[in-house]
Amino acid sequence: MNIYDIRNTEIKELVELCELHAEFEGSDYDRTDKVNKLRSDIINSNIIKCLVLVSADSSKLYGYCTYIKQYSTWDASWYNYMDCLYLREEVRGMGWGTKFIDVIKKDGLSIQWQTPISNLRAIEFYNKIGAVSTAKERYKLILE
């Protein structure tokens, strides 16, 4: 398997992985226009980075990781915010999560992210790689 930046032709399968990710976390997912939005925001903008884990023959996506460069006023420094890291069940525990994070680390910036408190396996993994938890509540204000 290989990890690389997502290709335009793989966006449709990314949407499928996003839906599986939402299901895994017990959230709803609306696929409406996601292919076009993700293509525009990831492929065309080059602001959001999306890495994918792909079978050796490039026929199936087994995972994805998205991140974006952000600024911390408190730390007065840039960091990468990892928005999503998801792996299909059949490849979990095989070191691919660590490999995704290793790719992000190549930017030389610290990494921040969050995970649901119910995702004990992810929390165990993050603790294992030396990450430190910071407790905060996450809010969102939806503008329609």
Side-chain angles (χ1 to χ4, degrees):
M1 287 208 254
N2 300 300
I3 292 176
Y4 57 74
D5 291 330
I6 194 167
R7 297 175 183 152
N8 189 26
T9 57
E10 296 163 330
I11 294 293
K12 193 176 262 187
E13 197 171 355
L14 173 63
V15 171
E16 294 170 17
L17 282 179
C18 289
E19 187 168 37
L20 289 172
H21 190 180
E23 181 182 303
F24 176 78
E25 291 194 1
S27 297
D28 294 328
Y29 188 77
D30 179 2
R31 296 179 81 141
T32 306
D33 205 30
K34 290 294 194 306
V35 170
N36 291 329
K37 288 178 181 179
L38 290 173
R39 181 171 286 122
S40 174
D41 294 340
I42 295 171
I43 302 296
N44 298 337
S45 79
N46 202 28
I47 294 170
I48 301 164
K49 307 282 188 183
C50 181
L51 303 169
V52 288
L53 174 63
V54 183
S55 60
D57 64 359
S58 299
S59 66
K60 183 175 181 179
L61 297 185
Y62 282 91
Y64 75 101
C65 178
T66 54
Y67 63 101
I68 188 168
K69 187 176 178 179
Q70 292 189 349
Y71 190 80
S72 168
T73 307
W74 285 5
D75 297 331
S77 64
W78 291 96
Y79 66 95
N80 278 320
Y81 176 76
M82 183 172 63
D83 181 56
C84 290
L85 182 124
Y86 177 77
L87 296 167
R88 292 182 185 269
E89 179 68 35
E90 61 264 34
V91 297
R92 292 183 195 145
M94 299 174 70
W96 294 110
T98 301
K99 290 179 181 173
F100 271 130
I101 291 173
D102 286 345
V103 173
I104 299 170
K105 285 168 43 177
K106 289 179 182 178
D107 285 351
L109 301 173
S110 64
I111 307 168
Q112 295 184 26
W113 65 91
Q114 56 194 356
T115 194
I117 60 172
S118 61
N119 193 347
L120 300 178
R121 189 168 179 186
I123 292 168
E124 182 180 322
F125 163 65
Y126 297 139
N127 287 332
K128 180 180 165 188
I129 65 169
V132 178
S133 174
T134 57
K136 283 190 174 186
E137 292 290 325
R138 181 175 178 100
Y139 292 88
K140 64 181 178 179
L141 181 60
I142 299 172
L143 305 177
E144 297 186 40

